[in-house]
Amino acid sequence: MQFEIVGGILDIETIATGSGIREIARLRKAYGRGRWRKRKGVCRVRLADGQIQLAEIHWYEAAGIGRREYKIKHLL
């Protein structure tokens, strides 16, 4: 699903770190070694049809690499 984040992300939480992330090997291979964390938060997103909705999103993040692979888990 293509979308764009509109504004800031609220209620950010870490839901997994390091070896607790199932896809850690793939992340290291694709983006490099780092202190990877899987995080979640709530924000407004602009969907492909132009509609703006509140959504819970998940992503991976590492210091020095940044945020990668955002995905919408639920439209709120």
Side-chain angles (χ1 to χ4, degrees):
M1 175 183 285
Q2 290 190 347
F3 65 95
E4 176 186 353
I5 295 173
V6 179
I9 302 172
L10 306 172
D11 300 329
I12 296 174
E13 295 178 40
T14 300
I15 54 178
T17 61
S19 62
I21 300 172
R22 279 190 261 172
E23 300 188 37
I24 191 72
R26 184 184 61 77
L27 290 171
R28 286 179 176 156
K29 185 175 180 179
Y31 305 111
R33 299 189 67 81
R35 185 172 173 223
W36 285 99
R37 294 177 284 179
K38 184 172 184 176
R39 307 193 84 186
K40 72 176 185 179
V42 176
C43 69
R44 293 193 183 279
V45 294
R46 180 176 295 123
L47 302 175
D49 64 359
Q51 193 177 26
I52 295 179
Q53 292 213 342
L54 196 61
E56 178 183 320
I57 61 169
H58 289 196
W59 69 93
Y60 299 103
E61 178 179 311
I65 297 171
R67 296 176 175 173
R68 298 287 188 263
E69 301 183 17
Y70 289 98
K71 60 186 164 187
I72 294 175
K73 293 302 282 189
H74 306 284
L75 293 175
L76 304 173

